Amino acid sequence: MTINDYGAIADMLPGGPSRGALRGIVVLDITRVVAGPFCSMLLADLGATVIKIENPRDPDYARDFPPKLKAASGEEFSGFFAQFNRNKFGLTLDLSQPDGKELLKKLVRRADVVVENFRPGTMDKLGVGYETLRAQNPRLVYTAISGYGQFGPYSRRPAYDNSAQAAGGLWSINGFPDRPPVRVGTIIGDLSATLYAVIGTLAALRHAEKTGEGQMVDVSQQDSVLSLTENAVVSHAVEGKVPGPLGNEHPFVKPYELYPCRDGFVFFGGYTDKFWRLSCHLFGQPELADDPEIDTMAKRFDPEVYERRIRPLLHKWFEDKTKAELEEIVGDAVPLSAIKDIGEVVEDPQIAARDMVVDVDYPDFGRLRMFGSPIKLDGTPTEPRGLAPKVGEHSDTVLRALADLDEHRIAELREKKVI
């Protein structure tokens, strides 16, 4: 049973989605920080009604993360939290109290999805684990994101993003060969797990729609990171190699890396015979396309040939030109991209054309700029401009609509600090 059957309170969320592809899907979001909140945020952008459930005395500690929006009154609101929790209702619920557990069970009966990112076993200890909630709603999709998954010898270990980058092998292949490994410069362990969790949740929802049977979606950060290591596993299996850091180079594709230019750096990937021939013409040396030492992709892949012939040539082509000039020269003919900082990216015309940076007005706090939705649907477009809730901001609304509670009962629960 979905929220559509109870007055479509999704329309009451300020700035929230109203006609998205997932309209009518109710998601109970019992998550913190990024891996869980980003998953439910993506579902909310797609139109799901997402209810963020927090402990009234111990809410999501990402609310304290910088940068902070500041109101004239001195009140602060985390921009970090706002980005990953947009388009959500806010409900407080103390799951350690019997009334809190019962309320969650009641909400689950009218929900489609639960998302949690606690260490495996935590929800069971609270008395609201998968089997308990499934008994309330056999159609329930229960999405659990954790460091190492719901089973296996490491499953109970605590984990952060860096834990996943380390344990999943990504850290060991990032950086430069003559230096210690370097973590990827974003929380890729959290973010990759989020994306797989969304995929799994949508697949499980489809199955539940057809069969009436829900299931657990078990996503591990370590698993997710391992799947991003490209050809490292097959190289180890086939050739017995243990891949190490490669810097900015690809393990075998050449040329395919960063090159300096007059005002910074560009990525150039003109390695195929087609792109190489075009590049030779664009940079005024068409005769090189037929040079017998470098006229095929296989020859240019040879490390010795690349270092002796190709790399010096590319430096000569690029070093006296700006990033903009190089992009102008190649146009849409050859893969060449300026390496941009975030300040340049947010002003990029392609980013603007695709609404990938959006401005959201927060009452009393001002305007917040954040990333938009990379998912473009022409029939049911995503809506990334909804607000993130204050702690428990919509508790009364949600409990009236989904738990059939009256004002007296809600006041009683608040007095007992259940909400």
Side-chain angles (χ1 to χ4, degrees), residues 95-131:
L95 296 178
S96 69
Q97 295 197 46
D99 283 342
K101 301 181 207 301
E102 289 308 309
L103 268 179
L104 179 63
K105 292 175 185 177
K106 199 166 188 178
L107 293 172
V108 162
R109 293 171 201 150
R110 293 179 172 177
D112 300 282
V113 179
V114 166
V115 183
E116 58 100 339
N117 65 339
F118 293 105
R119 205 186 312 185
T122 300
M123 291 288 282
D124 287 320
K125 287 180 182 178
L126 288 169
V128 287
Y130 171 56
E131 294 299 337

Side-chain angles (χ1 to χ4, degrees), residues 119 147-148 154-160 163:
R119 205 186 312 185
Y148 300 99
Y154 302 163
S155 63
R156 297 300 180 95
R157 292 183 180 180
Y160 289 113
S163 310

